C-alpha cells in the first residue's frame, strides 16, 4: 500500500463541484505537484488532505491510517502557505518552536530542534527576529522550517513561491526540494507554474475544472500529453484535428496532407482525432526521421532570446507556432514566406478524445496555445 | 500654498478655541471657590468626599467586570463569524450598532420589566442582582466599540491562515485562541477595554435607574447641589478620559511582539 492514498475525493460547495473523483497514490519521499490554472481544484485537494475541508466523498489514508474524519491537528501534516502565515507575535525561533511546544516536548529538545531547523534553512543569525523584520524569501524559509520541525508525515505546500519575485522563486524552489530530499518526506506541492512543477517533481498531476487530466513524470506529461488541455497548459502545443485513414493504423490526414503518428490510433475510419505537436519539435528543413510535412505561410516572427517563435498559418486556416533555435534562428523566413513544417512521427501525439481536457479546452478545430 | 497654510491655521485655531475655551472657563471657575483668590479648594472638597471615592471605585470595578464579560463574549463571536460565517459579518455588525440607535433609557426600562420584582427572574431585588444587570447593560452599551475594536484587530492579523497554520502544527482551538489570536489583537483589545472603561465611568442612565452608586449619578448629584465642585469634578473626569485615551495611543504605537 502507498504511503499516501487519496481515493475518489469529491468536493462540492453547494451546487458548485470544485473537485471530481480525485485519486492519487504517493510513495514515501515522493515529491508530487498538483498543477493547474486558478480554480481547477488543486488547492481544494490539498486542503482536504490537510483536513481544512471535509470531502463530500472519498477517503484520505496516510501511512495506513484513514484520516478522512480526523481533525487537522491529529493528522501530523506540515503545511506551508502562500502568505507564509507566520505568527507575527513570535520570533523566528518562537515560530519554529510553536508546534513542538504544542506537542509538549521538553525545553532542551525544543532548543536543539529549533537550532537544527535554523541551520537547515541557513538563518542561524536571525532566530531572534520577528517575521516583519524578514524578507519574503526568509519568511517562507522560516515557514518551511516551522512545518518540518514537527517531523510531519506529509509536507503540504500551497503555492509557497507565488508571492516571491522571480529570482528568489528559483533559488527557493531548489532549497525546498533540497530540504524535502534531505528529510525524505513525502511532499504535495500546489502550483500554477508549469516550470516549477516540472523542475521539482517526481510526478505531476495536471488538473482542470476539478478533474485530473493526467498524472505522470514531468517528461511524460510534457512529451506525451494525454489531453488537449495538458498539451496546451504544460508548455506550448499545436493541436491538429486529423482524420483517421485506417482502423488501428498510424496514418491520419490533415487536410490533404498525410501524416504518420508515433502510435496506432484507435477509432473508426473517417473519425476526427486531435493530435499535439510541440513547436520545438518542428523544423523548417527536412531533418533525419522527419517524415511528416505540412505547408504553411509565416504570419510573423518574435525574437524570444534563446529561440525565435514563428506564427504560421497552416493550410485550412489553422494557426500554429514553430520555435527555431540554434543557428537556424539567425535566418528565419520573413512574414508572408511559404514554408514547409517537418516533424517526426513520434512528435505527433494523439490526444484523448474523452479526456476531461477535451471539454476544458473546448472542442474547436484546434490551433496553438500556451503560456 | 501659503494661502492654504494660513487657511489651515485659521481652521485649526477656530476648532481649538471651540474645544478649549469652555474647558478653560470651567477650569477658571473651578478655582474660584475661595472668594477673591484662585485656589484648589473645590478639588480638595471633591477628593475629600467619601462618595467620590466610593462611586469612582464602584464604577471602576464595574468597568473591569464589563470589559471581561464583553471580551469573553465578543472575541470568540467575532472570531467565529470571520472564520466560519463570513456572510453573517454584515448582519452581526448591524446588530452591534443597535445600542447606538436604541436609547439607554429604553434598554433599562426593558430590563426593569424583564428582571423587576414581578418578573420570573427578579434581579433588581438584590444589590448583587442589580450590579449584574448593570454590568450586562454596560456590555450592551459598549458593544459597538468592543466589537469594532476586536474586528479591526482580527482584520489586521490574517485570521484564517494563522488559525490553519496553528491547526496544522497540532494546536487545539483553546491554544489557538490563547497563543495566536489574543496576542495578535492585544492592541485592539486594549483600545476596546479603555473605551469601555471611559463609557462606564461616565454612564448615568443605567446606574441611576437601577439605583446603583455609580460615578455618573454622583456627578449629576454634585452638579445639582453644589457650585464649584461640579466644575472640578468635570475636569477630573475629563483628565481620566484623556488619560485612558493616551494609554490607548501608547499601546497602539507599540510594535507587535515587542
Amino acid at each position: 500500500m502507498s504511503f499516501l492514498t487519496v481515493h475518489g475525493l469529491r468536493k462540492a460547495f453547494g451546487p458548485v463541484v470544485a473537485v471530481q473523483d480525485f485519486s492519487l497514490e504517493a510513495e514515501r519521499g515522493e515529491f508530487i505537484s498538483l498543477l493547474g490554472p486558478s480554480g481547477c481544484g488543486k488547492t481544494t485537494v490539498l486542503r482536504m488532505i490537510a483536513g481544512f475541508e471535509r470531502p463530500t466523498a472519498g477517503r484520505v489514508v496516510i501511512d495506513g491510517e484513514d484520516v478522512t474524519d480526523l481533525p487537522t491537528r491529529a493528522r501530523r501534516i506540515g503545511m506551508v502557505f502562500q502568505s507564509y502565515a507566520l505568527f507575527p507575535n513570535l520570533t523566528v525561533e518562537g515560530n519554529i518552536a510553536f508546534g513542538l511546544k504544542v506537542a509538549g516536548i521538553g525545553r532542551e529538545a525544543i532548543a536543539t530542534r529549533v537550532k537544527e531547523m535554523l541551520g537547515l534553512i541557513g538563518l542561524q543569525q536571525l532566530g531572534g527576529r520577528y517575521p516583519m523584520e524578514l524578507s519574503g524569501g526568509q519568511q517562507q524559509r522560516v515557514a518551511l522550517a516551522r512545518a518540518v520541525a514537527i517531523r510531519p508525515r506529509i509536507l503540504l505546500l500551497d503555492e509557497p513561491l507565488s508571492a516571491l519575485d522571480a529570482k528568489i522563486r528559483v533559488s527557493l524552489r531548489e532549497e525546498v526540494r533540497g530540504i524535502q530530499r534531505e528529510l525524505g518526506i513525502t511532499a504535495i506541492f500546489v502550483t500554477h507554474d508549469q516550470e516549477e512543477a516540472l523542475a521539482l517533481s517526481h510526478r505531476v498531476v495536471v488538473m482542470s475544472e476539478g478533474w485530473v487530466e493526467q498524472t505522470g513524470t514531468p517528461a511524460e506529461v510534457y512529451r506525451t500529453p494525454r489531453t488537449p488541455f495538458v498539451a496546451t497548459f504544460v508548455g506550448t502545443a499545436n493541436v491538429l484535428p486529423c482524420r483517421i485513414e485506417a482502423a488501428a493504423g498510424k496514418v491520419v490526414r490533415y487536410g490533404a496532407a498525410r501524416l504518420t503518428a508515433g502510435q496506432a490510433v484507435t477509432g473508426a475510419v473517417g473519425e476526427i482525432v486531435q493530435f499535439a505537436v510541440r513547436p520545438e519539435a518542428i523544423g523548417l528543413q527536412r531533418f533525419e526521421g522527419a517524415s511528416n510535412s505540412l505547408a504553411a505561410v509565416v504570419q510573423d516572427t518574435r525574437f524570444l532570446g534563446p529561440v525565435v517563435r514563428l506564427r504560421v498559418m497552416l493550410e485550412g486556416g489553422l494557426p500554429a507556432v514553430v520555435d527555431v533555435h540554434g543557428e537556424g534562428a539567425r535566418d528565419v523566413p520573413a512574414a508572408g514566406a511559404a514554408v514547409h513544417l517537418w516533424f517526426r512521427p513520434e512528435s505527433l501525439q494523439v490526444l484523448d478524445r474523452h479526456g476531461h481536457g477535451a471539454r476544458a479546452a473546448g472542442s474547436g478545430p484546434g490551433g496553438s496555445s500556451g503560456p | 500654498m501659503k494661502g492654504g497654510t494660513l487657511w489651515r491655521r485659521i481652521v485649526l485655531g477656530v476648532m481649538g478655541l471651540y474645544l478649549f475655551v469652555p474647558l478653560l472657563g470651567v477650569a477658571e471657575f473651578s478655582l474660584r471657590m475661595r472668594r477673591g483668590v484662585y485656589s484648589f479648594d473645590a478639588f480638595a472638597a471633591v477628593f475629600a468626599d467619601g462618595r467620590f471615592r466610593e462611586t469612582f471605585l464602584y464604577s471602576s470595578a464595574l468597568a473591569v467586570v464589563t470589559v471581561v464579560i464583553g471580551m469573553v463574549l465578543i472575541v470568540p463571536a467575532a472570531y467565529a463569524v470571520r472564520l466560519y460565517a463570513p456572510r453573517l459579518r454584515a448582519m452581526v455588525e448591524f446588530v452591534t450598532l443597535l445600542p447606538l440607535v436604541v436609547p439607554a433609557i429604553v434598554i433599562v426600562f426593558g430590563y426593569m420589566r424583564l428582571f423587576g420584582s414581578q418578573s420570573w427572574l427578579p434581579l433588581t431585588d438584590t444589590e448583587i442582582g442589580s450590579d449584574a444587570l448593570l454590568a450586562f447593560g454596560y456590555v450592551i452599551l459598549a458593544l459597538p466599540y468592543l466589537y469594532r475594536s476586536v474586528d479591526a484587530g482580527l482584520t489586521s492579523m490574517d485570521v484564517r491562515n494563522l488559525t490553519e497554520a496553528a491547526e496544522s502544527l497540532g494546536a487545539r482551538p483553546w491554544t489557538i485562541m490563547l497563543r495566536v489570536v489574543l496576542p495578535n489583537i492585544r492592541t485592539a483589545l486594549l483600545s476596546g477595554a479603555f473605551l469601555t472603561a471611559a463609557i462606564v465611568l461616565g454612564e448615568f442612565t443605567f446606574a441611576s435607574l437601577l439605583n446603583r452608586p455609580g460615578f455618573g449619578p454622583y456627578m449629576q448629584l454634585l452638579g445639582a447641589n453644589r457650585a464649584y465642585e461640579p466644575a472640578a469634578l468635570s475636569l477630573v473626569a475629563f483628565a481620566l478620559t484623556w488619560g485612558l485615551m493616551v494609554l490607548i495611543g501608547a499601546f497602539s504605537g507599540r510594535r507587535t511582539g515587542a
Side-chain angles (χ1 to χ4, degrees):
Chain A
M1 192 182 195
S2 300
F3 185 70
L4 167 69
T5 303
V6 179
H7 181 70
L9 274 195
R10 181 173 190 274
K11 180 66 186 176
F13 296 100
V16 180
V17 180
V19 176
Q20 293 269 27
D21 194 24
F22 181 97
S23 294
L24 176 70
E25 303 228 330
E27 298 305 329
R28 199 184 290 269
E30 202 174 4
F31 195 110
I32 293 180
S33 290
L34 306 185
L35 174 67
S38 298
C40 71
K42 56 191 188 297
T43 295
T44 308
V45 168
L46 197 80
R47 291 176 63 78
M48 285 192 281
I49 297 172
F52 297 137
E53 301 286 354
R54 198 177 166 74
T56 309
R59 312 302 299 170
V60 177
V61 179
I62 302 175
D63 200 10
E65 180 190 10
D66 189 334
V67 299
T68 316
D69 299 320
L70 288 183
T72 301
R73 64 173 182 273
R75 294 191 181 199
R76 283 184 50 215
I77 50 116
M79 180 101 179
V80 180
F81 298 82
Q82 183 181 350
S83 63
Y84 321 135
L86 293 176
F87 306 124
N89 57 312
L90 299 178
T91 60
V92 166
E93 284 173 351
N95 268 281
I96 297 173
F98 185 92
L100 304 168
K101 280 183 184 167
V102 166
I105 293 168
R107 201 174 274 188
E108 276 182 27
I110 290 177
T112 308
R113 184 71 176 152
V114 168
K115 204 172 164 190
E116 191 186 327
M117 288 296 108
L118 284 172
L120 191 70
I121 57 170
L123 294 180
Q124 297 93 326
Q125 309 303 317
L126 304 182
R129 291 216 186 155
Y130 286 92
M132 62 188 290
E133 296 168 336
L134 303 177
S135 70
Q138 288 171 333
Q139 287 190 54
Q140 200 55 295
R141 277 145 81 189
V142 175
L144 180 63
R146 180 182 69 175
V148 297
I150 56 171
R151 300 183 206 277
R153 295 189 289 192
I154 289 181
L155 179 62
L156 305 172
L157 304 109
D158 186 9
E159 305 214 30
L161 309 174
S162 298
L164 304 170
D165 62 54
K167 264 197 168 173
I168 294 177
R169 284 175 78 136
V170 174
S171 67
L172 195 56
R173 83 182 183 204
E174 296 307 325
E175 256 184 78
V176 168
R177 187 69 171 90
I179 289 170
Q180 181 268 339
R181 196 181 294 124
E182 194 178 326
L183 300 176
I185 191 170
T186 307
I188 309 292
F189 181 89
V190 162
T191 181
H192 62 265
D193 184 324
Q194 41 152 323
E195 189 188 316
E196 241 167 54
L198 298 180
L200 290 174
S201 321
H202 290 117
R203 280 189 296 149
V204 179
V205 180
V206 186
M207 293 182 69
S208 166
E209 294 188 348
W211 295 92
V212 172
E213 292 280 336
Q214 186 172 357
T215 303
T217 64
E220 282 168 359
V221 167
Y222 187 80
R223 290 186 187 139
T224 54
R226 221 178 56 196
T227 68
F229 176 83
V230 177
T232 53
F233 187 78
V234 183
T236 304
N238 299 298
V239 178
L240 307 175
C242 299
R243 196 175 295 279
I244 296 175
E245 280 267 287
K250 291 183 177 180
V251 179
V252 293
R253 191 176 282 278
Y254 172 76
R258 292 182 82 234
L259 304 174
T260 309
Q263 69 228 69
V265 186
T266 54
V269 174
E271 190 179 340
I272 299 289
V273 178
Q274 292 189 311
F275 288 83
V277 190
R278 296 284 182 199
E280 68 273 18
I282 301 172
L284 295 177
Q285 308 289 331
R286 185 165 193 171
F287 57 96
E288 196 184 333
S291 55
N292 290 323
S293 175
L294 289 172
V297 175
V298 177
Q299 300 289 299
D300 65 42
T301 60
R302 300 263 168 85
F303 178 70
L304 302 177
V307 298
V308 174
R309 176 158 291 179
L310 274 67
R311 293 186 180 276
V312 301
M313 190 64 77
L314 300 177
E315 276 182 350
L318 192 69
V321 292
V322 178
D323 284 347
V324 184
H325 49 84
E327 283 304 304
R330 290 183 181 276
D331 184 27
V332 292
V339 293
H340 274 87
L341 313 183
W342 292 90
F343 50 93
R344 293 190 175 111
E346 54 270 32
S347 299
L348 191 64
Q349 284 296 323
V350 65
L351 301 174
D352 186 353
R353 279 157 293 180
H354 308 295
H356 304 296
R359 191 191 62 253
S363 52
S368 66
S369 63
Chain B
M1 283 295 280
K2 211 170 176 183
T5 308
L6 182 68
W7 179 242
R8 269 204 301 276
R9 283 182 182 168
I10 290 171
V11 169
L12 285 174
V14 170
M15 200 174 123
L17 287 173
Y18 181 81
L19 290 174
F20 287 104
V21 166
L23 207 59
L24 286 172
V26 172
E28 198 269 344
F29 185 70
S30 71
L31 300 174
R32 286 167 58 182
M33 192 173 180
R34 196 178 302 176
R35 198 172 294 267
V37 288
Y38 284 133
S39 72
F40 288 100
D41 286 1
F43 289 89
V46 165
F47 289 127
D49 187 352
R51 285 176 302 169
F52 169 78
R53 285 192 302 274
E54 283 165 21
T55 56
F56 183 70
L57 285 176
Y58 177 82
S59 286
S60 298
L62 215 59
V64 172
V65 173
T66 304
V67 166
V68 171
I69 297 173
M71 293 299 182
V72 167
L73 285 174
I74 287 164
V75 174
Y79 174 71
V81 166
R82 258 181 186 274
L83 215 55
Y84 307 114
R87 286 182 187 173
L88 291 181
R89 218 174 132 217
M91 197 190 78
V92 173
E93 265 196 63
F94 174 75
V95 170
T96 62
L97 281 175
L98 284 178
L100 294 179
V101 183
V102 180
I105 198 157
V106 173
I107 300 173
V108 81
F109 271 115
Y111 278 2
M112 285 161 79
R113 279 187 73 93
L114 271 174
F115 305 110
S117 307
Q118 306 302 315
S119 75
W120 61 277
L121 185 60
L123 284 177
T124 55
D125 281 3
T126 60
E127 284 195 0
I128 189 81
S130 296
D131 290 342
L133 207 51
L134 193 55
F136 292 136
Y138 284 165
V139 169
I140 298 296
L141 281 190
L143 200 59
Y145 311 99
L146 273 178
Y147 182 80
R148 242 141 226 83
S149 298
V150 171
D151 195 51
L154 292 173
T155 302
S156 67
M157 71 165 274
D158 188 9
V159 185
R160 181 173 294 279
N161 274 334
L162 291 185
T163 299
E164 289 180 350
E167 276 178 9
S168 72
L169 293 165
R172 290 174 173 277
W174 184 243
T175 309
I176 296 171
M177 183 55 77
L178 286 181
R179 292 201 193 170
V180 177
V181 178
L182 292 181
N184 283 302
I185 59 168
R186 190 187 59 183
T187 306
L189 291 181
L190 286 169
S191 299
F194 289 139
L195 277 172
T196 304
I199 292 166
V200 172
L201 283 176
E203 203 284 327
F204 169 76
T205 316
F206 270 77
S208 176
L209 290 171
L210 288 172
N211 196 26
R212 303 308 302 141
F215 193 55
Y218 170 69
M219 285 197 286
Q220 188 276 334
L221 188 71
L222 208 64
N225 297 297
R226 301 290 179 91
Y228 300 101
E229 286 90 336
L233 192 58
S234 299
L235 288 176
V236 171
F238 193 76
L240 280 171
T241 311
W242 261 44
L244 291 175
M245 293 298 144
V246 168
L247 283 176
I248 292 174
F251 280 106
S252 303
R254 284 179 64 174
R255 198 191 67 187
T256 306

